[in-house]
Amino acid sequence: MPADDTPAAARRAAPGKTATAAKTPAAARKATPAKKAATGKTAGTAKTVGTAKKAAPAQTAAPAKKAAPKKKAAPVRRQAPAKKPDVAPKKATAAVKGVAPAKTVAAKSPRAESRTALVRRARRIDRELAEVYPYAHPELDFENPFQLVVATVLSAQTTDLRVNQTTPALFAKYPTPEDLAAAVPEEVEEILRPTGFFRAKTRSVIGLSKALAEDFGGEVPGRLADLVRLPGVGRKTAFVVLGNAFGRPGITVDTHFQRLVRRWQWTDETDPDKIEAAVGALFPKSDWTDLSHHVIWHGRRICHARKPACGACPIAPLCPAYGEGETDPEKATKLLKYEKGGFPGQRLNPPQAYLDAGGTPAPPLGAG
């Protein structure tokens, strides 16, 4: 029985084992879907990553599309040149009527311009002025160096016209340095009263006359060092005398000259001696006397201190201060003075060249 039972048990056990073995592949087959599920999860993750990767460019591209219109806002730069009326057009015409004077001034520092450019611009301005004022001359009446030095001393703090109206009586009574040196101060003061500061001026002209009579034999010296030793005579007066009575070049730095060379940015100096040196370095020495006349004449006739006639200025295209004054041509023309505005000049006895150019003599003192 046992022998018979063993095979049966074996047979019974064998199918069990076989079933177990059969179950194992089934379990494996059941596990396969799990793995597939796991793989599915991985694939899902991959899909998610893929979606994220695809979404990322979409988010990156969005700002790029928004940024594009910002780059198209560049036309503002194209409008910039219209806001730079640094200088006038080639001619001061009605094209500048709509420009507000305060906004047209775009003064540049002298340091922004090269030395060569400054020299060229300065000399071109002088050439232009020489064409406008070919008859420019000293606007004090004189017949000799003595009269010129006295008239120049008297011109301080007054106009050349007033001096010219006053000196005829002075020189008629005191024609030489010796005569004026011996004059009674009160009598000289009465003659010089119309020029203002007449007491101080009386002391100066009597003092310089004494110096001429005692130290220079009654003759006006032709050297700068000697002239500045005379009472009331500084470098400005000395250069007026040297340039116009002796033909020796000199720069006359009066108030008009100082104002204009600073407006034109030839220099930013304020001291007259430093202005003289700075401007003198821009021009040949032979040009100094005529340059002084050109600048001073322009300052008196067109480029006034308070209201320059910018709209009627012949050198407006070269002026960095264009727009400080009236830019409308018609209104600017009404601001012109002396012969440019159709009025008499400052001299009672002007040179013939001035008369030929259309200038008219100034009236004598008390003549209307």
Side-chain angles (χ1 to χ4, degrees), residues 23-227:
K23 287 179 182 178
T24 301
R29 283 193 298 270
K30 289 180 181 179
T32 301
K35 288 181 181 180
K36 288 182 180 178
T39 307
K41 288 182 181 179
T42 307
T45 305
K47 288 180 181 179
T48 304
V49 173
T51 306
K53 287 182 180 178
K54 291 180 181 177
Q59 291 177 355
T60 306
K65 290 181 181 178
K66 291 179 182 179
K70 292 184 180 179
K71 292 183 179 179
K72 293 181 181 178
V76 177
R77 293 184 179 178
R78 296 178 184 174
Q79 297 176 356
K83 298 180 181 179
K84 291 185 184 177
D86 291 352
V87 297
K90 292 184 178 180
K91 291 185 180 179
T93 61
V96 292
K97 283 185 178 179
V99 182
K103 294 181 180 179
T104 56
V105 181
K108 301 175 183 177
S109 169
R111 297 181 181 86
E113 188 175 32
S114 70
R115 177 72 178 179
T116 301
L118 173 60
V119 171
R120 289 176 178 172
R121 182 169 61 86
R123 294 186 182 184
R124 184 178 174 188
I125 288 176
D126 184 45
R127 290 195 300 271
E128 295 285 343
L129 294 179
E131 294 182 6
V132 177
Y133 311 107
Y135 44 78
H137 57 268
E139 294 194 273
L140 291 169
D141 282 325
F142 70 98
E143 296 178 356
N144 53 57
F146 170 63
Q147 291 185 2
L148 180 56
V149 69
V150 170
T152 307
V153 170
L154 296 178
S155 67
Q157 303 298 320
T158 191
T159 63
D160 287 355
L161 172 58
R162 182 61 67 185
V163 173
N164 291 336
Q165 292 173 330
T166 305
T167 51
L170 179 69
F171 296 139
K173 190 170 184 177
Y174 311 105
T176 67
E178 290 81 2
D179 294 330
L180 189 53
V184 177
E186 289 75 15
E187 294 179 0
V188 177
E189 288 178 2
E190 193 60 30
I191 296 174
L192 300 183
R193 186 179 295 272
T195 65
F197 303 96
F198 57 92
R199 291 189 178 89
K201 291 180 179 179
T202 295
R203 290 193 296 270
S204 294
V205 297
I206 290 179
L208 74 84
S209 296
K210 287 181 178 179
L212 290 174
E214 296 172 2
D215 301 335
F216 299 99
E219 299 291 333
V220 176
R223 295 197 319 147
L224 176 65
D226 294 332
L227 283 170

Side-chain angles (χ1 to χ4, degrees), residues 245-258:
F246 294 98
R248 297 178 181 175
I251 294 178
T252 304
V253 184
D254 70 349
T255 55
H256 300 289
F257 194 94
Q258 292 183 49

